[in-house]
Amino acid sequence: TDMDVFADEFGKLVKRITFITSELQMQVLKIRLVPVGNVFKKFPRIVRNLARDLGKQVDLQIFGEDTELDRSVVDEIGDPLIHLVRNALDHALESAEERLTAGKPRVGCVTLSAKHEGNNIIISIKDDGRGMSPEKIAAKALEKGIATGEQLAAMSPKEIFDLIFLPGFSTKEKVSDLSGRGVGMDVVRTNVKKLNGIIEVKSEMGKGSEFILKLPLTLAIIQSLMVEIENEIYSIPLSAVIETLRVKEEDFSSVGGREVLRLRKSALPLMRLQQRFGI
């Protein structure tokens, strides 16, 4: 029938338009991309000056400076990177004498690298310094009241390393000018989160530490889930969506005066957008 032919042609047309808009989006994104080398190029001088002030010998190695990312991300990434590199030189790398005693080359090594992984860019700051002790971090967290003994006992080393990103945490006995005048790692994590990124830390005693920043390629384009309520359309960032499901009214119950949804073995707090937006 004519209707079937129309539906078929219309379907083809929609596919074609979708393809063209995706292409257009990619071209716009390419225009916004700049090499991360724009940020990396200031680090040799920063490291040289810092090493001189600290009386340490440091070799800075840079990889992947051609890796491209959105200029809005490039503009924001400089400060967290400077803090992490300063941290590596001031806290992590030992003096030449300590390194020789530990059987290491007297010159410390810091590696700054960038690479693409899917729609993300991975930036790593790695040192071959003294590494971090989970026990020492746990003791400090306990002393500062950041976590209780029971909580710490249940944590994996990775979770304990993550404590260094909490406000008010510093393992340095005295605050030096170089490590950021008391500006903690919490500021670094806040800046990375602002870019919709995550930061991870790996460390091995005596071998060194690595801070890994996983950032979105662009902030200009985000995929989203469209939801319609009472003829109004809302857009939810796809990065915030874990799953979508159909629910029935009988799945809802009330706990402490709040509506919750029973899902598998947990109760999830329910937020009705009609009430939130006063529709």
Side-chain angles (χ1 to χ4, degrees):
T1 65
D2 287 353
M3 202 60 205
D4 290 341
V5 173
F6 172 75
D8 194 40
E9 287 299 314
F10 188 67
K12 281 179 187 166
L13 195 61
V14 168
K15 272 186 183 158
R16 182 88 190 125
I17 290 170
T18 307
F19 175 74
I20 292 167
T21 46
S22 301
E23 277 293 296
L24 193 59
Q25 209 176 39
M26 284 313 294
Q27 293 306 323
V28 169
L29 180 56
K30 277 182 183 160
I31 294 166
R32 291 181 60 92
L33 293 180
V34 291
V36 76
N38 288 3
V39 179
F40 282 7
K41 67 183 177 206
K42 59 184 174 187
F43 281 93
R45 186 178 54 84
I46 291 171
V47 168
R48 213 168 36 243
N49 294 346
L50 205 51
R52 191 185 58 231
D53 294 345
L54 290 164
K56 290 178 180 177
Q57 293 177 320
V58 184
D59 173 28
L60 173 69
Q61 299 193 342
I62 294 178
F63 298 102
E65 59 260 65
D66 295 340
T67 309
E68 291 186 316
L69 74 166
D70 195 297
R71 65 184 47 180
S72 59
V73 180
V74 166
D75 293 342
E76 296 285 337
I77 199 65
D79 289 347
L81 287 183
I82 288 173
H83 190 85
L84 289 168
V85 168
R86 281 181 156 182
N87 190 61
L89 265 77
D90 192 13
H91 295 236
L93 291 181
E94 316 91 331
S95 64
E97 294 72 34
E98 273 180 76
R99 290 181 67 84
L100 288 172
T101 310
K104 291 181 177 180
R106 63 183 294 127
V107 178
C109 180
V110 173
T111 308
L112 186 57
S113 65
K115 63 176 182 180
H116 280 144
E117 202 174 87
N119 276 336
N120 292 305
I121 180 164
I122 311 291
I123 297 179
S124 153
I125 298 94
K126 193 175 184 179
D127 66 71
D128 67 346
R130 52 175 70 96
M132 291 189 289
S133 150
E135 292 77 21
K136 210 170 169 181
I137 292 172
K140 199 77 178 175
L142 198 58
E143 177 198 318
K144 290 190 176 271
I146 286 171
T148 65
E150 297 83 77
Q151 286 172 325
L152 291 164
M155 285 182 182
S156 65
K158 185 184 179 307
E159 288 170 318
I160 289 176
F161 287 145
D162 279 345
L163 294 175
I164 66 171
F165 296 112
L166 293 176
F169 190 96
S170 172
T171 50
K172 196 77 169 163
E173 298 311 320
K174 57 180 198 302
V175 173
S176 72
D177 255 7
L178 297 162
S179 60
R181 296 164 295 285
V183 173
M185 283 288 184
D186 57 317
V187 177
V188 173
R189 184 154 75 172
T190 306
N191 285 350
V192 171
K193 270 192 167 167
K194 213 163 63 180
L195 294 169
N196 291 336
I198 53 172
I199 182 164
E200 286 176 13
V201 58
K202 292 179 181 172
S203 190
E204 203 180 325
M205 278 304 286
K207 298 271 178 74
S209 305
E210 181 178 16
F211 288 88
I212 300 152
L213 278 64
K214 194 173 185 179
L215 301 160
L217 198 54
T218 177
L219 296 176
I221 299 165
I222 57 166
Q223 291 184 305
S224 64
L225 176 71
M226 310 293 272
V227 185
E228 187 178 341
I229 302 142
E230 306 279 354
N231 298 327
E232 290 191 359
I233 294 175
Y234 293 84
S235 164
I236 300 171
L238 217 48
S239 58
V241 178
I242 294 169
E243 67 174 300
T244 58
L245 62 155
R246 288 187 183 279
V247 290
K248 300 187 197 76
E249 202 70 47
E250 58 259 33
D251 295 334
F252 304 154
S253 55
S254 183
V255 175
R258 282 205 64 178
E259 265 194 306
V260 294
L261 165 69
R262 289 193 304 278
L263 176 65
R264 296 186 277 275
K265 286 181 181 171
S266 54
L268 303 175
L270 202 65
M271 184 174 86
R272 289 186 180 267
L273 295 188
Q274 283 100 327
Q275 291 163 6
R276 172 57 64 99
F277 295 114
I279 304 165

